Amino acid sequence: MSNPWKEISLDDYEKHMSLGSVRQLQAMNSIMKEQFAAYPVDTAIVLGIAGGNGLEHVSSDKYRKVYGVDINADYLRAVSQRYGQLSGVLECLHIDLINEAERLPQTKLLIANLLIEYIGYGAFQRAVLQTAPEYVSCVIQINTDEGQWVSESPYLHAFDRLDEVHHQMEEAALTAAMNETGYSLTLQESYPLPNGKALVRLDYKKHHH
């Protein structure tokens, strides 16, 4: 069975995420600006890059290499076209994180926003171990009410199959999984969204013994 993320058009995804009722693309963009600026690193990897939202905050003065990973090759083609100014810094990698984590390069910073929901904690731990970053910055979506986890929108039908792969996220469970992997929580920030949801940013740093 193919991964449903291979079937969702970037246009549907981005239009849904930008709607006034959802506002996630805009919120994520300002969070990513902070993620790219937060740490003294010169390499980063973004897992689940989609259309590259946030990459305009990558400074080629600071970063010598940023990898964008996605399971959808069309998304990666769009990213390469949109961010031509990052040529030489940005490298797109077509990787299925659930089955091909061993293909990930090592970087100092790993960013995973609205991704862990779709691969689960175990696959995320494998990706972190393979990348071996000093810092990990994640954004997960928390439902603060009992509503459905995809906000109502005219594009909803595009996401029908995501139920097959979606895991409800919990801050405590992610932090426990990261502790097992050798990382401790250093930052937790919540960004409320419309529709009784919130984005939660959780950052972790590698333990040094």
Side-chain angles (χ1 to χ4, degrees), residues 52-69:
N53 179 31
L55 284 176
E56 68 272 25
H57 303 303
V58 171
S59 152
S60 50
D61 295 336
K62 172 171 180 169
Y63 284 98
R64 59 185 177 83
K65 189 59 106 172
V66 173
Y67 298 96
V69 174

mmCIF file with all atom_site columns, all heavy atoms in Angstrom, residues 52-69:
data_model
loop_
_atom_site.group_PDB
_atom_site.id
_atom_site.type_symbol
_atom_site.label_atom_id
_atom_site.label_alt_id
_atom_site.label_comp_id
_atom_site.label_asym_id
_atom_site.label_entity_id
_atom_site.label_seq_id
_atom_site.pdbx_PDB_ins_code
_atom_site.Cartn_x
_atom_site.Cartn_y
_atom_site.Cartn_z
_atom_site.occupancy
_atom_site.B_iso_or_equiv
_atom_site.pdbx_formal_charge
_atom_site.auth_seq_id
_atom_site.auth_comp_id
_atom_site.auth_asym_id
_atom_site.auth_atom_id
_atom_site.pdbx_PDB_model_num
ATOM 1   N N   . GLY A 1 52 ? 8.600  23.334 1.285  1.00 0.00 ? 52 GLY A N   1
ATOM 2   C CA  . GLY A 1 52 ? 9.753  24.153 1.652  1.00 0.00 ? 52 GLY A CA  1
ATOM 3   C C   . GLY A 1 52 ? 9.412  25.367 2.491  1.00 0.00 ? 52 GLY A C   1
ATOM 4   O O   . GLY A 1 52 ? 10.269 26.237 2.696  1.00 0.00 ? 52 GLY A O   1
ATOM 5   N N   . ASN A 1 53 ? 8.172  25.447 2.998  1.00 0.00 ? 53 ASN A N   1
ATOM 6   C CA  . ASN A 1 53 ? 7.799  26.560 3.867  1.00 0.00 ? 53 ASN A CA  1
ATOM 7   C C   . ASN A 1 53 ? 8.869  26.756 4.946  1.00 0.00 ? 53 ASN A C   1
ATOM 8   O O   . ASN A 1 53 ? 9.277  25.808 5.591  1.00 0.00 ? 53 ASN A O   1
ATOM 9   C CB  . ASN A 1 53 ? 6.452  26.224 4.524  1.00 0.00 ? 53 ASN A CB  1
ATOM 10  C CG  . ASN A 1 53 ? 5.970  27.307 5.481  1.00 0.00 ? 53 ASN A CG  1
ATOM 11  O OD1 . ASN A 1 53 ? 6.242  28.494 5.285  1.00 0.00 ? 53 ASN A OD1 1
ATOM 12  N ND2 . ASN A 1 53 ? 5.257  26.904 6.506  1.00 0.00 ? 53 ASN A ND2 1
ATOM 13  N N   . GLY A 1 54 ? 9.335  28.008 5.117  1.00 0.00 ? 54 GLY A N   1
ATOM 14  C CA  . GLY A 1 54 ? 10.328 28.305 6.155  1.00 0.00 ? 54 GLY A CA  1
ATOM 15  C C   . GLY A 1 54 ? 11.754 28.360 5.638  1.00 0.00 ? 54 GLY A C   1
ATOM 16  O O   . GLY A 1 54 ? 12.638 28.908 6.301  1.00 0.00 ? 54 GLY A O   1
ATOM 17  N N   . LEU A 1 55 ? 12.004 27.807 4.450  1.00 0.00 ? 55 LEU A N   1
ATOM 18  C CA  . LEU A 1 55 ? 13.390 27.773 3.950  1.00 0.00 ? 55 LEU A CA  1
ATOM 19  C C   . LEU A 1 55 ? 13.929 29.161 3.623  1.00 0.00 ? 55 LEU A C   1
ATOM 20  O O   . LEU A 1 55 ? 15.141 29.352 3.545  1.00 0.00 ? 55 LEU A O   1
ATOM 21  C CB  . LEU A 1 55 ? 13.498 26.880 2.708  1.00 0.00 ? 55 LEU A CB  1
ATOM 22  C CG  . LEU A 1 55 ? 13.479 25.373 2.960  1.00 0.00 ? 55 LEU A CG  1
ATOM 23  C CD1 . LEU A 1 55 ? 13.499 24.632 1.632  1.00 0.00 ? 55 LEU A CD1 1
ATOM 24  C CD2 . LEU A 1 55 ? 14.656 24.935 3.838  1.00 0.00 ? 55 LEU A CD2 1
ATOM 25  N N   . GLU A 1 56 ? 13.031 30.144 3.458  1.00 0.00 ? 56 GLU A N   1
ATOM 26  C CA  . GLU A 1 56 ? 13.539 31.494 3.203  1.00 0.00 ? 56 GLU A CA  1
ATOM 27  C C   . GLU A 1 56 ? 14.290 32.047 4.417  1.00 0.00 ? 56 GLU A C   1
ATOM 28  O O   . GLU A 1 56 ? 14.986 33.049 4.317  1.00 0.00 ? 56 GLU A O   1
ATOM 29  C CB  . GLU A 1 56 ? 12.412 32.450 2.777  1.00 0.00 ? 56 GLU A CB  1
ATOM 30  C CG  . GLU A 1 56 ? 11.400 32.769 3.862  1.00 0.00 ? 56 GLU A CG  1
ATOM 31  C CD  . GLU A 1 56 ? 10.244 31.783 3.919  1.00 0.00 ? 56 GLU A CD  1
ATOM 32  O OE1 . GLU A 1 56 ? 10.397 30.613 3.494  1.00 0.00 ? 56 GLU A OE1 1
ATOM 33  O OE2 . GLU A 1 56 ? 9.172  32.192 4.382  1.00 0.00 ? 56 GLU A OE2 1
ATOM 34  N N   . HIS A 1 57 ? 14.175 31.371 5.561  1.00 0.00 ? 57 HIS A N   1
ATOM 35  C CA  . HIS A 1 57 ? 14.894 31.812 6.761  1.00 0.00 ? 57 HIS A CA  1
ATOM 36  C C   . HIS A 1 57 ? 16.278 31.164 6.893  1.00 0.00 ? 57 HIS A C   1
ATOM 37  O O   . HIS A 1 57 ? 16.958 31.365 7.896  1.00 0.00 ? 57 HIS A O   1
ATOM 38  C CB  . HIS A 1 57 ? 14.067 31.518 8.012  1.00 0.00 ? 57 HIS A CB  1
ATOM 39  C CG  . HIS A 1 57 ? 12.711 32.148 7.971  1.00 0.00 ? 57 HIS A CG  1
ATOM 40  N ND1 . HIS A 1 57 ? 12.525 33.504 7.801  1.00 0.00 ? 57 HIS A ND1 1
ATOM 41  C CD2 . HIS A 1 57 ? 11.463 31.605 8.049  1.00 0.00 ? 57 HIS A CD2 1
ATOM 42  C CE1 . HIS A 1 57 ? 11.225 33.762 7.788  1.00 0.00 ? 57 HIS A CE1 1
ATOM 43  N NE2 . HIS A 1 57 ? 10.568 32.639 7.924  1.00 0.00 ? 57 HIS A NE2 1
ATOM 44  N N   . VAL A 1 58 ? 16.668 30.386 5.897  1.00 0.00 ? 58 VAL A N   1
ATOM 45  C CA  . VAL A 1 58 ? 18.006 29.785 5.918  1.00 0.00 ? 58 VAL A CA  1
ATOM 46  C C   . VAL A 1 58 ? 18.997 30.798 5.351  1.00 0.00 ? 58 VAL A C   1
ATOM 47  O O   . VAL A 1 58 ? 18.867 31.213 4.199  1.00 0.00 ? 58 VAL A O   1
ATOM 48  C CB  . VAL A 1 58 ? 18.051 28.491 5.077  1.00 0.00 ? 58 VAL A CB  1
ATOM 49  C CG1 . VAL A 1 58 ? 19.493 28.005 4.922  1.00 0.00 ? 58 VAL A CG1 1
ATOM 50  C CG2 . VAL A 1 58 ? 17.186 27.420 5.717  1.00 0.00 ? 58 VAL A CG2 1
ATOM 51  N N   . SER A 1 59 ? 19.955 31.182 6.172  1.00 0.00 ? 59 SER A N   1
ATOM 52  C CA  . SER A 1 59 ? 20.974 32.105 5.709  1.00 0.00 ? 59 SER A CA  1
ATOM 53  C C   . SER A 1 59 ? 22.192 31.313 5.234  1.00 0.00 ? 59 SER A C   1
ATOM 54  O O   . SER A 1 59 ? 22.711 30.471 5.968  1.00 0.00 ? 59 SER A O   1
ATOM 55  C CB  . SER A 1 59 ? 21.369 33.038 6.858  1.00 0.00 ? 59 SER A CB  1
ATOM 56  O OG  . SER A 1 59 ? 22.696 33.461 6.673  1.00 0.00 ? 59 SER A OG  1
ATOM 57  N N   . SER A 1 60 ? 22.625 31.612 4.020  1.00 0.00 ? 60 SER A N   1
ATOM 58  C CA  . SER A 1 60 ? 23.790 30.882 3.508  1.00 0.00 ? 60 SER A CA  1
ATOM 59  C C   . SER A 1 60 ? 25.077 31.389 4.170  1.00 0.00 ? 60 SER A C   1
ATOM 60  O O   . SER A 1 60 ? 26.137 30.786 4.014  1.00 0.00 ? 60 SER A O   1
ATOM 61  C CB  . SER A 1 60 ? 23.873 30.966 1.979  1.00 0.00 ? 60 SER A CB  1
ATOM 62  O OG  . SER A 1 60 ? 23.743 32.297 1.572  1.00 0.00 ? 60 SER A OG  1
ATOM 63  N N   . ASP A 1 61 ? 24.989 32.488 4.928  1.00 0.00 ? 61 ASP A N   1
ATOM 64  C CA  . ASP A 1 61 ? 26.142 32.895 5.745  1.00 0.00 ? 61 ASP A CA  1
ATOM 65  C C   . ASP A 1 61 ? 26.319 31.943 6.921  1.00 0.00 ? 61 ASP A C   1
ATOM 66  O O   . ASP A 1 61 ? 27.436 31.673 7.351  1.00 0.00 ? 61 ASP A O   1
ATOM 67  C CB  . ASP A 1 61 ? 25.935 34.307 6.322  1.00 0.00 ? 61 ASP A CB  1
ATOM 68  C CG  . ASP A 1 61 ? 25.877 35.348 5.220  1.00 0.00 ? 61 ASP A CG  1
ATOM 69  O OD1 . ASP A 1 61 ? 26.436 35.084 4.135  1.00 0.00 ? 61 ASP A OD1 1
ATOM 70  O OD2 . ASP A 1 61 ? 25.255 36.398 5.433  1.00 0.00 ? 61 ASP A OD2 1
ATOM 71  N N   . LYS A 1 62 ? 25.195 31.458 7.454  1.00 0.00 ? 62 LYS A N   1
ATOM 72  C CA  . LYS A 1 62 ? 25.255 30.591 8.631  1.00 0.00 ? 62 LYS A CA  1
ATOM 73  C C   . LYS A 1 62 ? 25.375 29.115 8.243  1.00 0.00 ? 62 LYS A C   1
ATOM 74  O O   . LYS A 1 62 ? 26.141 28.371 8.834  1.00 0.00 ? 62 LYS A O   1
ATOM 75  C CB  . LYS A 1 62 ? 23.992 30.801 9.469  1.00 0.00 ? 62 LYS A CB  1
ATOM 76  C CG  . LYS A 1 62 ? 23.866 29.797 10.604 1.00 0.00 ? 62 LYS A CG  1
ATOM 77  C CD  . LYS A 1 62 ? 22.726 30.114 11.570 1.00 0.00 ? 62 LYS A CD  1
ATOM 78  C CE  . LYS A 1 62 ? 22.693 29.059 12.658 1.00 0.00 ? 62 LYS A CE  1
ATOM 79  N NZ  . LYS A 1 62 ? 21.822 29.372 13.771 1.00 0.00 ? 62 LYS A NZ  1
ATOM 80  N N   . TYR A 1 63 ? 24.582 28.706 7.268  1.00 0.00 ? 63 TYR A N   1
ATOM 81  C CA  . TYR A 1 63 ? 24.490 27.268 6.940  1.00 0.00 ? 63 TYR A CA  1
ATOM 82  C C   . TYR A 1 63 ? 25.313 26.934 5.714  1.00 0.00 ? 63 TYR A C   1
ATOM 83  O O   . TYR A 1 63 ? 25.189 27.580 4.679  1.00 0.00 ? 63 TYR A O   1
ATOM 84  C CB  . TYR A 1 63 ? 23.028 26.878 6.696  1.00 0.00 ? 63 TYR A CB  1
ATOM 85  C CG  . TYR A 1 63 ? 22.254 26.770 7.990  1.00 0.00 ? 63 TYR A CG  1
ATOM 86  C CD1 . TYR A 1 63 ? 21.458 27.821 8.434  1.00 0.00 ? 63 TYR A CD1 1
ATOM 87  C CD2 . TYR A 1 63 ? 22.336 25.628 8.778  1.00 0.00 ? 63 TYR A CD2 1
ATOM 88  C CE1 . TYR A 1 63 ? 20.755 27.725 9.636  1.00 0.00 ? 63 TYR A CE1 1
ATOM 89  C CE2 . TYR A 1 63 ? 21.642 25.526 9.971  1.00 0.00 ? 63 TYR A CE2 1
ATOM 90  C CZ  . TYR A 1 63 ? 20.861 26.581 10.397 1.00 0.00 ? 63 TYR A CZ  1
ATOM 91  O OH  . TYR A 1 63 ? 20.183 26.478 11.582 1.00 0.00 ? 63 TYR A OH  1
ATOM 92  N N   . ARG A 1 64 ? 26.121 25.883 5.841  1.00 0.00 ? 64 ARG A N   1
ATOM 93  C CA  . ARG A 1 64 ? 26.816 25.413 4.640  1.00 0.00 ? 64 ARG A CA  1
ATOM 94  C C   . ARG A 1 64 ? 26.039 24.290 3.976  1.00 0.00 ? 64 ARG A C   1
ATOM 95  O O   . ARG A 1 64 ? 26.179 24.041 2.778  1.00 0.00 ? 64 ARG A O   1
ATOM 96  C CB  . ARG A 1 64 ? 28.257 25.001 4.944  1.00 0.00 ? 64 ARG A CB  1
ATOM 97  C CG  . ARG A 1 64 ? 28.420 23.928 5.957  1.00 0.00 ? 64 ARG A CG  1
ATOM 98  C CD  . ARG A 1 64 ? 29.890 23.664 6.277  1.00 0.00 ? 64 ARG A CD  1
ATOM 99  N NE  . ARG A 1 64 ? 30.003 22.664 7.327  1.00 0.00 ? 64 ARG A NE  1
ATOM 100 C CZ  . ARG A 1 64 ? 29.954 21.359 7.111  1.00 0.00 ? 64 ARG A CZ  1
ATOM 101 N NH1 . ARG A 1 64 ? 29.818 20.882 5.879  1.00 0.00 ? 64 ARG A NH1 1
ATOM 102 N NH2 . ARG A 1 64 ? 30.023 20.510 8.120  1.00 0.00 ? 64 ARG A NH2 1
ATOM 103 N N   . LYS A 1 65 ? 25.159 23.592 4.746  1.00 0.00 ? 65 LYS A N   1
ATOM 104 C CA  . LYS A 1 65 ? 24.368 22.517 4.156  1.00 0.00 ? 65 LYS A CA  1
ATOM 105 C C   . LYS A 1 65 ? 23.046 22.370 4.909  1.00 0.00 ? 65 LYS A C   1
ATOM 106 O O   . LYS A 1 65 ? 23.040 22.275 6.131  1.00 0.00 ? 65 LYS A O   1
ATOM 107 C CB  . LYS A 1 65 ? 25.164 21.199 4.241  1.00 0.00 ? 65 LYS A CB  1
ATOM 108 C CG  . LYS A 1 65 ? 24.552 20.041 3.479  1.00 0.00 ? 65 LYS A CG  1
ATOM 109 C CD  . LYS A 1 65 ? 24.393 20.353 2.008  1.00 0.00 ? 65 LYS A CD  1
ATOM 110 C CE  . LYS A 1 65 ? 25.374 19.653 1.113  1.00 0.00 ? 65 LYS A CE  1
ATOM 111 N NZ  . LYS A 1 65 ? 25.035 19.863 -0.298 1.00 0.00 ? 65 LYS A NZ  1
ATOM 112 N N   . VAL A 1 66 ? 21.968 22.379 4.156  1.00 0.00 ? 66 VAL A N   1
ATOM 113 C CA  . VAL A 1 66 ? 20.646 22.066 4.717  1.00 0.00 ? 66 VAL A CA  1
ATOM 114 C C   . VAL A 1 66 ? 20.014 21.012 3.814  1.00 0.00 ? 66 VAL A C   1
ATOM 115 O O   . VAL A 1 66 ? 19.938 21.194 2.594  1.00 0.00 ? 66 VAL A O   1
ATOM 116 C CB  . VAL A 1 66 ? 19.736 23.318 4.788  1.00 0.00 ? 66 VAL A CB  1
ATOM 117 C CG1 . VAL A 1 66 ? 18.333 22.933 5.218  1.00 0.00 ? 66 VAL A CG1 1
ATOM 118 C CG2 . VAL A 1 66 ? 20.322 24.350 5.745  1.00 0.00 ? 66 VAL A CG2 1
ATOM 119 N N   . TYR A 1 67 ? 19.620 19.898 4.427  1.00 0.00 ? 67 TYR A N   1
ATOM 120 C CA  . TYR A 1 67 ? 18.953 18.839 3.670  1.00 0.00 ? 67 TYR A CA  1
ATOM 121 C C   . TYR A 1 67 ? 17.444 18.944 3.877  1.00 0.00 ? 67 TYR A C   1
ATOM 122 O O   . TYR A 1 67 ? 16.982 19.159 5.003  1.00 0.00 ? 67 TYR A O   1
ATOM 123 C CB  . TYR A 1 67 ? 19.403 17.461 4.166  1.00 0.00 ? 67 TYR A CB  1
ATOM 124 C CG  . TYR A 1 67 ? 20.875 17.192 3.985  1.00 0.00 ? 67 TYR A CG  1
ATOM 125 C CD1 . TYR A 1 67 ? 21.762 17.402 5.034  1.00 0.00 ? 67 TYR A CD1 1
ATOM 126 C CD2 . TYR A 1 67 ? 21.376 16.724 2.767  1.00 0.00 ? 67 TYR A CD2 1
ATOM 127 C CE1 . TYR A 1 67 ? 23.124 17.147 4.876  1.00 0.00 ? 67 TYR A CE1 1
ATOM 128 C CE2 . TYR A 1 67 ? 22.735 16.474 2.612  1.00 0.00 ? 67 TYR A CE2 1
ATOM 129 C CZ  . TYR A 1 67 ? 23.597 16.692 3.660  1.00 0.00 ? 67 TYR A CZ  1
ATOM 130 O OH  . TYR A 1 67 ? 24.940 16.443 3.499  1.00 0.00 ? 67 TYR A OH  1
ATOM 131 N N   . GLY A 1 68 ? 16.701 18.778 2.801  1.00 0.00 ? 68 GLY A N   1
ATOM 132 C CA  . GLY A 1 68 ? 15.247 18.698 2.885  1.00 0.00 ? 68 GLY A CA  1
ATOM 133 C C   . GLY A 1 68 ? 14.830 17.295 2.486  1.00 0.00 ? 68 GLY A C   1
ATOM 134 O O   . GLY A 1 68 ? 15.181 16.834 1.395  1.00 0.00 ? 68 GLY A O   1
ATOM 135 N N   . VAL A 1 69 ? 14.116 16.618 3.370  1.00 0.00 ? 69 VAL A N   1
ATOM 136 C CA  . VAL A 1 69 ? 13.735 15.224 3.132  1.00 0.00 ? 69 VAL A CA  1
ATOM 137 C C   . VAL A 1 69 ? 12.224 15.132 2.975  1.00 0.00 ? 69 VAL A C   1
ATOM 138 O O   . VAL A 1 69 ? 11.471 15.726 3.753  1.00 0.00 ? 69 VAL A O   1
ATOM 139 C CB  . VAL A 1 69 ? 14.172 14.342 4.327  1.00 0.00 ? 69 VAL A CB  1
ATOM 140 C CG1 . VAL A 1 69 ? 13.662 12.910 4.166  1.00 0.00 ? 69 VAL A CG1 1
ATOM 141 C CG2 . VAL A 1 69 ? 15.688 14.362 4.472  1.00 0.00 ? 69 VAL A CG2 1
#
